[in-house]
Amino acid sequence: MSKALVISGGGSKGAFAVGVIKYLRKNYPNSSFDMFVGTSTGSLIAPLAALNMIDELEELYTTQNTTDIVQKFNIGDRLSENSIMGVDPLWELVKKHYSDDFYSKLQQSGKQVFLATTCLQTSELVIYSNQDQAPSDNYAVRKVETPLQFRKAVLASACQPVFMPPVKVNKEINGAPDQFYQYVDGGVREYAGIEMAIQNGAKEIVAILLSAEKTEVETKEYKDIYSVLEKTISIFTEDVGKNDMVIPMQYNEALKYIESVKRKMKRAGISKEDIDEYFTTSRTPNPFQDKLPLNIHVIRPDHPLGGGPGGLDFIPADMTVMLNTGEEIIEQYIAKLETEGSTWA
């Protein structure tokens, strides 16, 4: 059974996801994933998670300061630039952790990683992957050709537009028609890539969302352009996240409903052939044909994690707390499953 791990965007809040992954790896070592879908900070986590490099993930998300990730400038000096911040430090981290040797091991592992980006020129959600992926009417698919392109896709997915510069993922690919296309954070279009997992055949999905289901009223006043812009983009991203969850969950609920109706019809003595006939029409194709309900686990914090708007504040002590919170939340989630008579596979 194909199983996917989906990690949303959230900057430094990614430490929460690392906590969840760390707990699962320690307590359920036989619970493995075939697919890893990352958006923004999720794209930094997914490849390392695919190779079970938990210690490296924990080090990455509990020791970095903001200056280890971005360069902050005076906003007045950046009006003619394509971003408020620079990402040279982040690029150095990407090159360090996702070396050519790392990419070779990833390819040999057979694990598939999906990296969500947004193309500024086409406005499309573009999903880069280290393997072939299923086509989609809702987003563009691209197969990574080189380790450098993989690193560029990771960086692009993590670069929040306006604050961080767009990335030319295909610049070094000779003959590529989109060499000059610029890519930014996939969270502009897709906060959590559950659809990618479904499209590519996942039957069980663990989705780690880094935003709390309910937001808290803040008591601070925003007094400068930078903080207002930062907060506005954060609100936009959270709204995208809420919308992303609606369709996959409704789709799955519809599948569960159809399955329950079919079981009721079978108990009433209706044959399988007749049941299938009832759910088939000549005019309208059945979008649920041969589809079975998915097992979707949504793991998210029960209160805002901090990290500043958009998770652009990287403070080791705070991220350590986020990591510990991730461990606590997944432990509580699994305990609740067990009280309901289910088990974590």
Side-chain angles (χ1 to χ4, degrees), residues 35 37 112 114-118 122-129 133-142 186 189-190 192-201:
M35 305 177 205
V37 187
Q112 185 162 17
F114 300 86
L115 308 169
T117 70
T118 303
T122 66
S123 303
E124 288 180 304
L125 174 66
V126 180
I127 308 300
Y128 283 91
S129 179
Q133 53 183 309
S136 172
D137 293 331
N138 299 324
Y139 55 85
V141 301
R142 298 284 187 275
R189 297 295 305 271
E190 190 85 7
I194 294 177
E195 183 181 352
M196 280 99 252
I198 295 174
Q199 192 81 7
N200 285 274

Side-chain angles (χ1 to χ4, degrees), residues 24-231:
L24 292 177
R25 182 61 181 164
K26 179 180 179 181
N27 295 280
Y28 298 88
N30 296 323
S31 179
S32 60
F33 299 92
D34 309 295
M35 305 177 205
F36 297 79
V37 187
T39 300
S40 196
T41 198
S43 288
L44 291 168
I45 297 170
L48 290 172
L51 294 188
N52 290 317
M53 299 175 70
I54 310 304
D55 291 342
E56 194 162 351
L57 269 175
E58 184 169 3
E59 186 272 335
L60 182 62
Y61 275 85
T62 57
T63 64
Q64 307 300 321
N65 290 288
T66 303
T67 54
D68 299 318
I69 305 297
V70 295
Q71 301 154 297
K72 288 192 174 183
F73 303 104
N74 186 314
I75 191 171
D77 296 332
R78 303 288 292 178
L79 296 180
S80 61
E81 302 293 333
N82 60 13
S83 67
I84 296 173
M85 300 177 179
V87 292
D88 288 349
L90 177 58
W91 178 233
E92 291 303 316
L93 285 173
V94 170
K95 289 192 294 183
K96 172 186 174 182
H97 292 288
Y98 304 122
S99 63
D100 289 8
D101 182 60
F102 172 90
Y103 184 74
S104 177
K105 291 178 181 177
L106 177 63
Q107 294 302 85
Q108 293 169 13
S109 73
K111 304 292 186 180
Q112 185 162 17
V113 175
F114 300 86
L115 308 169
T117 70
T118 303
C119 179
L120 295 181
Q121 280 71 28
T122 66
S123 303
E124 288 180 304
L125 174 66
V126 180
I127 308 300
Y128 283 91
S129 179
N130 62 316
Q131 297 181 23
D132 291 327
Q133 53 183 309
S136 172
D137 293 331
N138 299 324
Y139 55 85
V141 301
R142 298 284 187 275
K143 184 177 180 181
V144 171
E145 297 183 23
T146 68
L148 176 58
Q149 190 188 25
F150 183 80
R151 290 190 286 271
K152 289 292 188 72
V154 169
L155 181 66
S157 182
C159 281
Q160 294 185 27
V162 180
F163 293 102
M164 304 161 86
V167 179
K168 294 181 180 179
V169 175
N170 307 312
K171 183 179 179 180
E172 286 77 17
I173 305 298
N174 292 329
D178 54 354
Q179 284 186 14
F180 68 91
Y181 282 8
Q182 298 164 293
Y183 295 85
V184 295
D185 192 340
V188 173
R189 297 295 305 271
E190 190 85 7
Y191 173 72
I194 294 177
E195 183 181 352
M196 280 99 252
I198 295 174
Q199 192 81 7
N200 285 274
K203 303 303 179 186
E204 184 170 3
I205 299 171
V206 176
I208 306 176
L209 307 184
L210 303 180
S211 62
E213 190 166 2
K214 294 182 180 180
T215 57
E216 295 179 352
V217 177
E218 296 182 344
T219 56
K220 61 182 278 187
E221 182 180 353
Y222 294 91
K223 297 182 178 181
D224 59 84
I225 294 174
Y226 181 90
S227 63
V228 171
L229 178 60
E230 192 176 42
K231 181 61 178 179

Side-chain angles (χ1 to χ4, degrees), residues 259-272 274-275 278-279:
E259 279 298 299
S260 66
V261 171
K262 286 183 176 180
R263 287 195 298 270
K264 187 173 182 180
M265 294 172 74
K266 185 177 180 180
R267 289 195 298 269
I270 302 174
S271 69
K272 182 180 183 304
D274 286 342
I275 292 174
Y278 282 123
F279 282 91

